[in-house]
């Protein structure tokens, strides 16, 4: 319930160091804009992947699912189902 003053001070110091690092990073970015490489976000990458035409087609997936698996199917079952 009651925090020791040294804990509060340490938290303040750590937070101030974090703010200083963030400000230094902002300063470096502002001074060197040519070094900044914009990366595509995960949402845009996912949407682009949905509309990309190079994926597998439905016929190939159907053929692959209809092929028998052989001995691997027996070992994949739990022991009580064998």
């Amino acid at each position: 319930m009651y925090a020791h003053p040294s804990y509060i001070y340490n938290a303040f110091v750590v937070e101030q160091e974090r703010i200083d690092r963030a400000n230094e990073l902002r300063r470096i970015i502002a001074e060197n804009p040519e070094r900044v490489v914009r990366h595509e976000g995960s949402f845009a990458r996912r949407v682009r992947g949905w509309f990309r035409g190079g994926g597998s087609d439905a016929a190939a997936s159907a053929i692959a699912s209809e092929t028998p698996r052989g001995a691997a199917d027996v070992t994949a079952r739990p022991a009580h189902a064998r």
Side-chain angles (χ1 to χ4, degrees), residues 10-64:
N10 288 339
F12 175 76
V13 168
V14 168
E15 185 65 19
Q16 189 62 43
E17 289 172 352
R18 186 192 64 78
I19 291 170
D20 291 343
R21 283 193 306 271
N23 287 339
E24 181 69 16
L25 180 62
R26 286 188 194 100
R27 184 188 63 79
I28 291 171
I29 290 171
E31 290 177 355
N32 303 302
E34 69 278 357
R35 295 183 63 190
V36 176
V37 178
R38 182 166 297 279
H39 291 283
E40 193 175 278
S42 63
F43 177 75
R45 192 175 330 132
R46 191 177 311 130
V47 170
R48 186 167 292 121
W50 289 339
F51 294 108
R52 192 173 332 147
S56 63
D57 58 345
S61 298
I63 291 171

Side-chain angles (χ1 to χ4, degrees), residues 65-81:
S65 66
E66 292 174 2
T67 56
R69 297 195 177 188
D73 189 34
V74 175
T75 58
R77 293 185 298 173
H80 63 81

